[in-house]
């Protein structure tokens, strides 16, 4: 049974919420980042980019310490405050395309260890250790792990009733999103939410595999170093955003490859013919309409690739995943891409960007060929996690993406 608890969030004072909240650091281009740091003294970017105060680039553990210092300054100045009692938080995001809402809460690191919280992606040990060390120094977490659970009418009804009341925050952003946050502090509501999640046998990580792994490493290390460990210390939990499965938005990643691995166009198409039925679509912006169909852009033309089921054997849930089929039958054996994370011959476009970008980047000569597919479905992701299998890197691009700095978890 899953253990999902309320916590005492550190968060912006009401007047500063829209100014403090920022997109994830890596989303900013250099010029936009500089503008935010120069003209918005309340931006959370000042905390995670602490060297700006001294106009100096700072890295490594020295940066970790300065992140903590900037964070303490925001608290001392009253920009950030802490709730006096544990709460759950409803966070709703409305964009031009869709809206979603979920619950910000503390998830159990022990549940992660025991596979109650299930994962579908591999993590890199070096990144896990680095982020664990970062968390240990700064003492807080501001990027929740995105967890998903089966649609639950009891939780839905409770959220709707609370969202009919005045929110704690409501603000809009330049990309025409509206962000709203409510506190859940009524004891009866808290107990109901705790009970509903407690009855769930498993939850699934939708996004944030490295963050959850690092949080578990921190909990394990802290436990070993604390002779008075009880299991209730804040380091035993990590901040999560829990959203029902129907509210997730799952996109695919297209693949761009820089060369044909020594093959001519004709030789390459002949190699593909072994596993796929190929149709030339010309200049039509073709996108596949069903699973195990792929689109390919090569030499100014689109192609449809239909997997030959008579040749391919489905052995488990992973073997049915389109990103796996693409890797196993094209990228690795024909194009020589062995490492999807680090090979500099491959790049990715997430599915929110359309076929025009794929076409443009191939037409520019930067890439020789591009491939696309349909997004994975939530049931595929769950089944792969249930079978303790892992998807290839960049198999899913999942939204919502949350703003940093609206709720912070201290340990």
């Amino acid at each position: 049974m899953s253990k999902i608890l309320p916590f005492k969030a550190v968060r912006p004072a009401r007047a500063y919420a829209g100014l403090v909240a920022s997109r994830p650091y890596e989303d900013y281009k250099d010029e936009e980042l500089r503008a935010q740091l120069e003209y918005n003294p309340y931006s959370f970017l000042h905390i995670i980019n602490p060297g700006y105060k001294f106009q100096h680039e700072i890295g490594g553990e020295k940066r970790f310490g300065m992140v903590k210092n900037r964070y303490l300054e925001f608290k001392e100045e009253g920009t950030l405050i802490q709730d006096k009692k544990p709460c759950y938080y409803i966070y709703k995001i409305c964009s031009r395309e869709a809206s979603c809402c979920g619950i910000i809460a503390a998830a159990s690191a022990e549940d992660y260890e025991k596979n109650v919280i299930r994962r579908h992606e591999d993590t890199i040990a070096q990144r896990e250790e680095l982020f664990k060390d970062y968390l240990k120094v700064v003492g807080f977490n501001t990027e929740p792990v995105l967890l998903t659970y089966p649609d639950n009418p009891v939780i839905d009804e409770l959220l709707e009733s609370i969202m009919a009341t005045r929110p704690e925050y409501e603000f809009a952003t330049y990309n025409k999103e509206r962000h709203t946050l409510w506190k859940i502090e009524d004891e009866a509501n808290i107990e109901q939410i705790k009970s509903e999640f407690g009855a769930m046998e498993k939850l699934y990580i939708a996004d944030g595999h490295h963050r959850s792994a690092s949080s578990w490493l921190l909990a394990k290390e802290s436990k070993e170093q604390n002779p008075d460990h009880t299991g209730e210390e804040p380091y035993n939990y990590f901040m999560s955003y829990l959203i029902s499965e129907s509210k997730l938005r799952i996109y695919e990643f297209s693949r761009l490859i820089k060369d044909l691995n020594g093959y001519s166009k004709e030789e390459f198409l002949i190699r593909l013919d072994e596993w796929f039925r190929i149709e030339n679509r010309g200049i039509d912006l073709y996108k596949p309409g069903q699973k195990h169909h792929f689109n390919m852009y090569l030499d100014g033309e689109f192609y449809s690739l239909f997997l030959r089921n008579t040749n391919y054997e489905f052995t488990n849930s992973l073997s049915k995943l389109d990103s796996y089929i693409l890797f196993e039958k094209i990228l690795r054996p024909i194009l020589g891409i062995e490492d999807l994370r680090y090979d500099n011959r491959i790049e990715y476009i997430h599915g929110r960007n359309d076929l025009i970008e794929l076409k443009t980047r191939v037409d520019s000569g930067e890439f020789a060929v591009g491939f696309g597919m349909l997004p994975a479905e939530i049931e595929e992701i769950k089944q792969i996690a249930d079978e303790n299998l892992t998807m290839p890197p960049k198999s899913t691009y999942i939204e919502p993406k949350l703003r940093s700095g609206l709720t912070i978890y201290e340990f």
Side-chain angles (χ1 to χ4, degrees):
M1 304 302 175
S2 59
K3 194 172 183 180
I4 301 297
L5 301 182
F7 68 101
K8 299 177 184 178
V10 175
R11 54 189 183 79
R14 188 192 294 268
Y16 303 126
L19 295 170
V20 170
S22 71
R23 303 198 310 272
Y25 181 80
E26 60 274 8
D27 279 6
Y28 289 88
K29 295 180 180 179
D30 290 344
E31 289 185 3
E32 187 183 9
L33 178 62
R34 284 196 297 271
Q36 283 287 326
L37 291 169
E38 183 171 355
Y39 297 111
N40 181 5
Y42 299 107
S43 173
F44 194 77
L45 294 168
H46 284 281
I47 293 176
I48 54 180
N49 191 52
Y52 180 80
K53 181 175 182 178
F54 304 103
Q55 298 298 305
H56 186 69
E57 289 288 336
I58 300 169
E61 291 193 9
K62 183 181 291 186
R63 175 179 170 271
F64 299 169
M66 292 191 67
V67 166
K68 183 173 184 178
N69 290 342
R70 295 290 84 72
Y71 173 68
L72 292 176
E73 287 175 5
F74 269 51
K75 291 182 71 176
E76 291 162 1
E77 293 166 354
T79 305
L80 296 176
I81 58 175
Q82 185 168 28
D83 286 319
K84 299 186 183 302
K85 60 178 289 187
C87 301
Y88 291 114
Y89 304 86
I90 302 174
Y91 182 19
K92 183 176 183 180
I93 306 172
C94 296
S95 68
R96 288 170 288 187
E97 297 87 12
S99 67
C100 66
C101 68
I103 299 173
I104 297 175
S108 167
E110 184 180 23
D111 282 353
Y112 175 85
E113 180 182 17
K114 292 181 175 180
N115 208 31
V116 174
I117 295 175
R118 301 196 172 184
R119 42 209 181 267
H120 63 265
E121 286 185 8
D122 275 332
T123 52
I124 300 170
Q126 186 176 0
R127 286 183 62 189
E128 292 177 16
E129 287 287 340
L130 180 64
F131 192 58
K132 182 263 294 180
D133 293 341
Y134 169 82
L135 293 175
K136 186 175 182 179
V137 173
V138 301
F140 67 86
N141 188 358
T142 188
E143 294 187 18
V145 173
L146 185 61
L147 299 179
T148 189
Y149 61 91
D151 287 17
N152 183 298
V154 174
I155 293 178
D156 288 346
E157 184 177 344
L158 178 59
L159 297 190
E160 287 297 330
S161 67
I162 294 172
M163 288 190 295
T165 65
R166 184 193 182 199
E168 189 72 14
Y169 306 138
E170 185 172 22
F171 61 91
T173 54
Y174 293 119
N175 60 348
K176 295 188 177 180
E177 288 182 345
R178 189 169 73 253
H179 298 259
T180 318
L181 184 135
W182 293 261
K183 282 201 312 181
I184 304 178
E185 50 188 341
D186 177 78
E187 288 298 333
N189 290 339
I190 286 175
E191 288 304 314
Q192 186 173 22
I193 292 172
K194 193 184 300 183
S195 175
E196 289 298 319
F197 282 116
M200 296 178 188
E201 294 184 359
K202 50 195 174 183
L203 303 169
Y204 294 87
I205 299 173
D207 189 31
H209 285 77
H210 281 91
R211 277 168 274 157
S212 48
S214 299
S215 297
W216 171 71
L217 286 177
L218 177 65
K220 182 180 176 183
E221 183 178 293
S222 300
K223 175 182 177 180
E224 293 168 353
Q225 295 174 354
N226 182 5
D228 300 318
H229 174 84
T230 66
E232 298 305 316
E233 295 86 354
Y235 60 67
N236 292 291
Y237 300 87
F238 55 92
M239 187 166 64
S240 298
Y241 182 63
L242 295 109
I243 184 171
S244 61
E245 293 170 5
S246 63
K247 293 185 175 68
L248 280 180
R249 300 196 298 277
I250 306 174
Y251 301 92
E252 76 284 3
F253 276 97
S254 297
R255 274 78 167 133
L256 291 164
I257 314 298
K258 291 189 175 179
D259 59 69
L260 297 182
N261 198 28
Y263 292 105
S264 67
K265 173 183 173 181
E266 292 73 21
E267 292 169 336
F268 179 58
L269 291 172
I270 290 171
R271 286 294 308 271
L272 290 179
D273 187 68
E274 178 182 359
W275 292 101
F276 301 90
R277 179 164 58 86
I278 305 169
E279 292 183 10
N280 188 319
R281 302 281 179 159
I283 61 173
D284 291 341
L285 295 174
Y286 172 75
K287 189 163 187 174
Q290 64 186 73
K291 292 291 184 182
H292 315 324
H293 291 189
F294 303 85
N295 63 299
M296 178 177 73
Y297 186 67
L298 172 69
D299 193 27
E301 295 178 309
F302 281 94
Y303 294 81
S304 55
L305 307 179
F306 305 119
L307 180 68
R308 297 184 189 276
N309 292 335
T310 54
N311 289 2
Y312 187 84
E313 182 180 1
F314 297 118
T315 56
N316 56 27
S317 59
L318 182 60
S319 69
K320 300 175 185 177
L321 189 71
D322 283 346
S323 61
Y324 179 84
I325 294 170
L326 185 64
F327 176 61
E328 287 294 323
K329 297 306 173 188
I330 301 178
L331 300 185
R332 182 162 62 183
I334 302 177
L335 293 175
I337 304 292
E338 296 287 343
D339 190 331
L340 292 172
R341 294 184 188 275
Y342 297 115
D343 195 313
N344 60 16
R345 295 171 56 229
I346 185 170
E347 289 191 19
Y348 303 90
I349 303 172
H350 65 69
R352 288 205 63 178
N353 295 330
D354 59 22
L355 293 175
I356 295 295
E357 181 174 353
L358 183 146
K359 179 181 184 300
T360 300
R361 297 189 71 182
V362 173
D363 287 344
S364 72
E366 182 184 3
F367 296 94
V369 63
F371 298 95
M373 69 203 87
L374 289 180
E377 297 174 350
I378 185 61
E379 289 304 322
E380 291 181 280
I381 295 172
K382 290 167 60 178
Q383 191 172 359
I384 287 170
D386 288 344
E387 294 177 19
N388 293 316
L389 300 170
T390 54
M391 301 167 70
K394 300 293 185 182
S395 288
T396 57
Y397 179 86
I398 297 180
E399 291 186 340
K401 303 294 184 186
L402 308 186
R403 292 263 154 172
S404 297
L406 277 184
T407 57
I408 300 167
Y409 181 79
E410 286 190 347
F411 37 81

